[in-house]
């Protein structure tokens, strides 16, 4: 956990405040330290700030606990001395790109604008398969799993149009006649499902996961495309959002190394208290903290949030997606981008990605495995040495004729335990109905607004979800600041039944 106390930057921020002329005409001196506090410097926070800036509002401060902007776009140098490469600990893909001049994923637009280096990620063609006996071709089982998933989203959207009460994707799979039993059937389902949602079909809403898939990947349903680009940029995927921030941020508008502990909201202000006791007041605040942070009281609200808000926060799920990186002296594995490993235990080190490939990180000797959901939580409680031993063991199973050498480097991030995230991204469970989500997004009073990936009804979990929510919260607050209409978002005081779903 980073608890670094803010230093130089705070003085700069205060100086900026003192000197900063409000961009809108004010007859009396400003009542508070700043006009808008943007809490969190990830995609949602940066785009909310850009939205305010575009509306002529430059009196804002982004408050961020870490020592850089980007949030869950987070990279690191990995590898043995003299042989390091940048790898992505968090977001890595632009998911859904663009077809022709159809709607573009805004993250793709930013990637082009800032010259990001990406590689086409081929989930279904560039893949080989293994099980507990070594290399075994079960690509037809994989093709079936892809089909089964499509059937799931079709029936999920149309069984009883707009009147269906939600159930889990496990119910959905069973109703479309898909009941995986063998390790190969389980791992291919995992690849198509858990590897995207970071939780199991049992833990996931049938309806919401289907529309989430459609709105990102299905062009006929308003999606961007079914393609995925993997960032291989050695400045890190975060470069696109950091470079975008630099196009408009001025000194004093960013406070790094500043961890928020409490958010005190009233009818005329929001006051935050940082870990070192410093307080900053504002007319408005937009929190972009992850759902996991909101759920775990890492930041306290005073007064406590109303029950309808707390119920919404606690009822959506924060899933975990964990990439585990290994580096070896020499590459000894597959030449495809992906490999599946079918263990008898569903979810045990199922997906492997090689980076030592032309167009990716050739010569790097880096391969990584992904685990998700409860399995991520399990390994976070183990030591690095224990997890490394398990992975080497799986590699030995996949490659029975090879003596697996000792890795030259090993690393995995613990997103679930990190008090700045408490997981990797949100997932929509079956017991979470549309009015809950309305309440999750809603402002509390006129001063306190909520943004971030989880607030996106269509794109929860994704970078582009955070992006669109940043614009939305920025516009709503700008409208209040500029004295135009200051309309609250709707909320439902008492959710009494699961009404039809409206997207
Ligand atoms: C492992 C992983 C893989 C992913 N893969 C993809 C992918 O391939 N494609 C995709 O589209 N999306 C992916 N995502 C999801 C994507 O990263 C997120 O949806 C998006 O980055 C969220 O942005 P945000 O602004 O809503 O939240 P964040 O990025 O979490 O921003 C919130 C900020 O608040 C800060 N903060 C938290 N607590 C405090 C505090 N108390 N005080 C001050 N600051 C605080 C955090 O440090 C953070 O910078 C992935 C995420 C993870 C973790
Ligand atoms: C908190 O940190 C900032 C920056 O280092 C400093 O200016 C401020 O005085 C600190 N506040 C307290 C109460 O220590
Ligand atoms: C934040 O903290 C880090 C690590 O302690 C330090 O290197 C960096 O200079 C600080 N950044 C700012 C802007 O205060
Ligand atoms: C998907 O649905 C079609 C049409 O009902 C059916 O023919 C096909 O077998 C289904 N696929 C799977 C894998 O269940
Ligand atoms: C998803 O798209 C399919 C078409 O591929 C459609 O039949 C279905 O109704 C959609 N589901 C939802 C929940 O929007
Ligand atoms: C805001 O004002 C309303 C009525 O004017 C009051 O009921 C409410 O408690 C106030 N909220 C806060 C956070 O002070
Ligand atoms: C591994 O060795 C066995 C026995 O020598 C042999 O039959 C098999 O083809 C080998 N497998 C690979 C992948 O080389």
């Amino acid at each position: 956990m980073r608890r670094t106390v803010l230093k130089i930057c705070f003085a700069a921020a205060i100086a900026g405040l003192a000197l900063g002329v409000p961009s809108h005409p004010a007859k009396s001196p400003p009542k508070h330290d700043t006009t808008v506090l943007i809490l969190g410097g990830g995609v949602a926070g940066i785009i909310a700030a850009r939205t305010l800036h575009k509306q002529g509002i430059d009196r804002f401060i982004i408050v961020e606990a870490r020592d850089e902007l980007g949030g869950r776009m987070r990279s690191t140098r990995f590898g043995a001395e003299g042989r390091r490469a940048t790898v992505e600990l968090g977001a890595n893909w632009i998911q859904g790109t663009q077809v022709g001049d159809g709607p573009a994923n805004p993250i793709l637009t930013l990637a082009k604008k800032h010259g990001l280096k990406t590689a086409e990620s081929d989930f279904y063609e560039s893949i080989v398969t293994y099980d507990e006996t070594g290399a075994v071709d079960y690509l037809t089982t994989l093709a079936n799993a892809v089909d089964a998933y499509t059937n799931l989203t079709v029936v999920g959207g149309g069984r009883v149009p707009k009147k269906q009460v939600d159930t889990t994707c496990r119910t959905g799979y069973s109703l479309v006649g898909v009941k995986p039993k063998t390790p190969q059937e389980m791992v291919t389902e995992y690849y198509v499902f858990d590897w995207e949602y970071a939780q199991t079909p049992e833990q996931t809403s049938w309806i919401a996961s289907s529309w989430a898939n459609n709105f990102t990947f299905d062009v006929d349903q308003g999606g961007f495309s079914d393609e995925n680009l993997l960032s291989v940029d050695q400045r890190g995927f975060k470069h696109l959002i950091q470079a975008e921030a630099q196009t408009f941020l001025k000194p004093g508008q960013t406070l790094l190394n500043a961890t928020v502990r409490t958010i005190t909201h009233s009818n005329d202000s929001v006051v935050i208290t940082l870990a070192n006791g410093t307080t900053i007041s504002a007319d408005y605040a937009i929190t972009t903290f992850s759902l996991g942070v909101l759920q775990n009281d890492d930041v306290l609200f005073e007064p406590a949030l109303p029950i309808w808000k707390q119920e919404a926060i606690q009822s959506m799920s924060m899933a975990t997606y964990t990439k585990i990186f290994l580096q070896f002296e020499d590459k000894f594995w597959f030449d495809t981008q992906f490999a599946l490993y079918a263990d008898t235990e569903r979810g045990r080190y199922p997906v492997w990605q090689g980076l030592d490939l032309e167009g990716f990180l050739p010569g790097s000797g880096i391969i990584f495995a992904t685990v998700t959901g409860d399995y991520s939580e399990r390994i976070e409680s183990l030591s690095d040495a224990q997890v490394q031993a398990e992975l080497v063991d799986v590699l030995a199973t996949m490659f029975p004729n090879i003596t697996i050498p000792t890795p030259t480097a090993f690393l995995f991030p613990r997103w679930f335990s990190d008090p700045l995230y408490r997981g990797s991204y949100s997932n929509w469970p079956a017991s979470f109905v549309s009015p809950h989500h309305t309440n999750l997004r809603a402002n509390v009073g006129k001063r306190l607004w909520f943004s971030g990936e989880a607030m996106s009804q269509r794109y929860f979990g994704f970078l582009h979800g955070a992006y669109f929510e940043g614009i939305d919260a920025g516009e709503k607050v700008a409208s209040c600041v500029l004295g135009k209409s200051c309309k609250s978002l709707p909320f439902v005081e008492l959710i009494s039944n699961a009404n039809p779903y409206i997207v």
Side-chain angles (χ1 to χ4, degrees):
M1 173 186 181
R2 284 173 191 274
R3 284 202 186 208
T4 327
V5 161
L6 57 107
K7 293 201 181 82
I8 317 127
C9 200
F10 189 71
I14 296 301
L17 295 176
L19 300 173
V21 178
S23 51
H24 54 103
K27 293 194 182 81
S28 48
K31 276 195 288 190
H32 302 117
D33 296 334
T34 190
T35 302
V36 186
L37 278 167
I38 298 170
L39 306 179
V43 171
I46 292 166
I47 297 302
R50 192 187 68 181
T51 306
L52 294 177
H53 169 75
K54 282 186 173 172
Q55 305 247 357
I57 300 161
D58 279 308
R59 206 167 171 270
F60 60 78
I61 304 175
I62 299 176
V63 182
E64 168 57 48
R66 291 185 56 237
D67 59 4
E68 64 171 356
L69 297 176
R72 284 172 262 172
M73 298 191 94
R74 186 168 180 178
S75 54
T76 191
R77 300 288 291 169
F78 169 75
E81 194 72 49
R83 211 176 161 224
R84 297 212 169 114
T86 298
V87 296
E88 300 298 334
L89 302 173
N92 206 158
W93 282 283
I94 300 166
Q95 303 202 261
T97 54
Q98 185 178 25
V99 175
D101 54 9
N105 183 328
I107 303 301
L108 175 70
T109 309
L110 283 181
K112 287 181 177 163
K113 178 175 175 187
H114 298 293
L116 198 83
K117 187 173 178 210
T118 58
E120 267 173 49
S121 204
D122 195 342
F123 294 4
Y124 302 122
E125 303 293 324
S126 186
I127 186 164
V128 283
T129 52
Y130 299 81
D131 69 10
E132 286 181 339
T133 65
V136 178
D137 183 342
Y138 49 90
L139 290 174
T140 54
T141 311
L142 175 58
N144 254 327
V146 173
D147 245 34
Y149 182 75
T150 304
N151 288 0
L152 180 78
T153 64
V154 169
V155 179
R159 195 157 56 94
V160 187
K162 302 289 184 210
K163 285 198 182 138
Q164 179 185 356
V165 172
D166 205 6
T167 54
T168 72
C169 282
R170 178 56 66 214
T171 303
Y173 270 127
S174 297
L175 291 181
V176 300
V178 179
K179 297 169 184 174
K181 291 285 180 297
T182 66
Q184 300 181 355
E185 287 165 355
M186 290 191 291
V187 79
T188 51
E189 177 191 82
Y190 176 97
Y191 187 52
V192 176
F193 195 93
D194 305 43
W195 192 54
E196 185 63 59
Y197 297 102
Q199 286 195 315
T200 61
E202 287 77 357
Q203 292 166 316
T204 305
S205 150
W206 186 4
I207 298 176
S209 67
S210 297
W211 83 53
N213 174 77
N214 285 0
F215 285 130
T216 288
F217 297 113
D218 188 341
V219 177
D220 297 333
Q221 306 280 321
F224 306 118
S225 83
D226 59 4
E227 309 260 287
N228 298 278
L229 293 174
L230 189 81
S231 173
V232 290
D233 198 300
Q234 289 300 288
R235 297 167 295 188
F237 196 11
K238 66 189 175 193
H239 173 72
L240 68 77
I241 198 70
Q242 292 178 344
E244 185 64 10
Q246 276 179 17
T247 65
F248 68 91
L249 283 183
K250 294 174 193 64
Q253 288 179 330
T254 311
L255 196 56
L256 298 177
N257 293 342
T259 303
V260 178
R261 283 277 177 266
T262 50
I263 301 175
T264 306
H265 52 109
S266 68
N267 280 327
D268 63 20
S269 70
V270 177
V271 181
I272 59 164
T273 307
L274 303 181
N276 78 349
T278 300
T279 60
I280 309 174
S281 64
D283 297 346
Y284 299 92
I286 301 171
T287 152
T288 71
F289 299 148
S290 79
L291 178 69
V293 167
L294 297 178
Q295 286 177 337
N296 286 286
D297 305 329
D298 294 301
V299 176
L300 294 174
F301 290 89
E302 287 173 8
L305 295 173
I307 293 300
W308 58 262
K309 187 74 179 181
Q310 291 189 34
E311 181 181 328
I313 289 170
Q314 299 303 338
S315 300
M316 199 173 187
S317 308
M318 190 67 177
T320 307
Y321 184 102
T322 312
K323 294 187 259 188
I324 312 158
F325 296 91
L326 301 116
Q327 186 188 46
F328 291 93
E329 206 69 62
D330 297 299
K331 175 179 169 182
F332 58 81
W333 49 90
F334 45 89
D335 291 317
T336 48
Q337 294 177 21
F338 296 96
L340 284 182
Y341 164 67
D343 195 279
T344 43
E345 182 183 348
R346 191 182 185 282
R348 183 167 184 267
Y349 307 114
V351 182
W352 293 75
Q353 261 173 278
L355 289 175
D356 193 337
L357 267 183
E358 216 40 63
F360 292 80
L361 305 175
S364 64
I366 299 173
I367 185 172
F368 67 98
T370 302
V371 297
T372 55
D374 295 347
Y375 209 88
S376 290
E377 296 177 24
R378 171 188 169 266
I379 69 164
E380 285 197 21
S381 68
L382 303 179
S383 69
D384 280 15
Q386 285 172 309
V387 176
Q388 176 177 320
E390 292 190 356
L391 284 158
V392 168
D393 209 53
V394 168
L395 285 171
T397 307
M398 292 166 72
F399 303 98
N401 295 359
I402 295 169
T403 305
I404 309 298
T406 304
T408 53
F410 178 83
L411 174 77
F412 76 95
R414 288 175 167 81
W415 289 103
F416 175 69
S417 322
D418 189 330
L420 297 180
Y421 304 94
R422 302 284 185 199
S424 50
Y425 47 83
S426 64
N427 187 37
W428 192 306
S431 58
F432 190 71
V433 296
S434 277
H436 282 131
H437 196 266
T438 299
N439 287 354
L440 187 65
R441 287 188 93 231
N443 50 304
V444 170
K446 287 277 191 244
R447 304 288 165 178
L448 180 58
W449 295 73
F450 291 80
S451 183
E453 153 273 302
M455 310 300 152
S456 174
Q457 190 187 21
R458 296 184 170 204
Y459 312 108
F460 57 90
F462 293 114
L463 288 166
H464 45 282
Y467 182 98
F468 287 125
E469 288 304 304
I471 291 182
D472 206 64
E475 283 177 348
K476 294 277 181 336
V477 170
S479 182
C480 294
V481 170
L482 298 173
K484 298 179 185 169
S485 74
C486 186
K487 281 212 187 78
S488 285
L489 291 169
F491 76 94
V492 182
E493 181 82 46
L494 184 68
I495 297 167
S496 52
N497 64 38
N499 282 320
Y501 289 73
I502 300 145
V503 187

